[in-house]
Amino acid sequence: MEYTVKALAELAGVTPRALRWYDRKGLLKPRRTTEAGYRLYGPREVDRLQDILFYKELGLDLEAVREILDAPGFDRLAALQSHLAELEARRERLEALILTVEKTIDEARGGTPMTDKEKFEAFKRLAVEANEEQYGGEVREKYGREAAEGSNAKFLSMTEEEHSQWKALEAEILSALAAALRSGEDPAGPEGRRIAELHRRWLSYTWTAYTPQAHRGLAELYTADARFTAYYDKEVPGRAAFLRDAVRAYTE
């Protein structure tokens, strides 16, 4: 079966303008064009449009989608299985949040009181999953599966008071780094050492064991990995490098 631009747009829930844009970008070419100039799409193009919409739903831009779909080794079945895993993970996160909201509403109406742990458990799980998605592979490669999973378990077992202390300490570190840069402090000096010690305390909330080597290895990632650098340098450029150098001096 073949579809015109209008028919395929209605079928997929997109606009005809979007299909024409995909054509111009080389993302979705029609199967053929009639003598009258009508674009016609066949089964292969229908499947490709579905793939495009899957990837868009995952947050990828069109250029990234095109590169994935046109890669020589693209495996559609493997891609679909990956989509399914991601969607199932999203569903689990949503279900956990829904359950938390339902319990909160019940408590507000005079029902069963929630424990402090129940109030924040879903949010902590979301934080762990987000961290796993962004950094899980590197952490496991550098420190091993056991260390990564132990850290996740320790994070999930935090009390709300401990979690607040952990977040406050993180904010204190970022503020101290900014102040040290403004005043021209030496990362190897007393203030650099103090910041490195704060960082060690911050790690103790999630690390099951501490070694100077592991501390230094993590700090090296702050400048070696653009994602870490972007986090530390978002508001004050240079914080990542200062912290790396401070930890280097502290652990030597």
Side-chain angles (χ1 to χ4, degrees):
M1 184 173 182
E2 291 185 325
Y3 296 91
T4 62
V5 169
K6 181 180 178 182
L8 183 57
E10 290 177 352
L11 177 70
V14 300
T15 64
R17 182 180 179 183
L19 293 180
R20 296 188 184 98
W21 177 248
Y22 294 166
D23 185 2
R24 287 197 294 273
K25 298 292 288 184
L27 186 61
L28 180 66
K29 291 290 186 181
R31 179 180 185 180
R32 64 189 181 94
T33 303
T34 67
E35 292 181 1
Y38 289 104
R39 298 176 175 89
L40 295 178
Y41 299 85
R44 180 176 296 179
E45 289 72 38
V46 170
D47 286 348
R48 185 174 173 97
L49 177 58
Q50 186 188 39
D51 291 336
I52 292 168
L53 298 181
F54 276 141
Y55 280 113
K56 280 192 64 184
E57 180 63 26
L58 293 177
L60 276 69
D61 61 42
L62 294 181
E63 181 59 29
V65 174
R66 187 186 63 76
E67 289 180 3
I68 291 170
L69 296 181
D70 290 343
F74 177 71
D75 184 331
R76 187 167 191 258
L77 177 58
L80 289 170
Q81 290 171 332
S82 176
H83 291 323
L84 179 60
E86 171 62 23
L87 292 171
E88 287 175 340
R90 288 187 184 184
R91 181 178 63 189
E92 290 176 3
R93 292 194 290 268
L94 284 173
E95 287 175 347
L97 286 174
I98 289 169
L99 180 60
T100 300
V101 173
E102 288 176 342
K103 287 182 176 180
T104 305
I105 291 172
D106 181 58
E107 180 184 48
R109 288 175 173 170
T112 305
M114 296 177 71
T115 65
D116 288 343
K117 182 179 180 181
E118 286 178 314
K119 290 178 181 179
F120 297 99
E121 187 172 6
F123 298 108
K124 288 195 291 186
R125 287 195 173 277
L126 287 175
V128 167
E129 289 169 7
N131 189 70
E132 275 289 319
E133 183 175 338
Q134 192 166 17
Y135 304 114
E138 291 88 340
V139 171
R140 278 167 169 72
E141 182 177 349
K142 194 170 186 65
Y143 300 108
R145 181 182 62 82
E146 185 176 339
E149 293 182 358
S151 178
N152 288 342
K154 192 170 183 182
F155 179 83
L156 289 171
S157 68
M158 277 188 200
T159 65
E160 183 53 27
E161 181 181 0
E162 288 170 336
H163 188 265
S164 296
Q165 293 170 351
W166 180 69
K167 293 298 290 183
L169 191 53
E170 179 182 39
E172 183 180 353
I173 292 167
L174 292 174
S175 177
L177 286 168
L181 285 166
R182 285 195 299 270
S183 60
E185 295 285 350
D186 180 0
E191 181 59 11
R193 184 174 183 83
R194 187 184 76 85
I195 292 172
E197 175 61 29
L198 288 175
H199 190 252
R200 175 178 177 170
R201 283 172 50 198
W202 180 73
L203 292 174
S204 71
Y205 282 86
T206 55
W207 281 19
T208 56
Y210 174 87
T211 66
Q213 294 79 9
H215 192 182
R216 187 163 55 251
L218 177 62
E220 294 292 341
L221 284 177
Y222 291 166
T223 53
D225 189 312
R227 293 166 299 178
F228 283 107
T229 307
Y231 170 75
Y232 279 100
D233 289 4
K234 182 179 180 181
E235 297 174 358
V236 183
R239 285 195 297 201
F242 188 100
L243 181 54
R244 177 203 61 200
D245 293 343
V247 171
R248 277 178 180 172
Y250 178 77
T251 56
E252 286 178 352

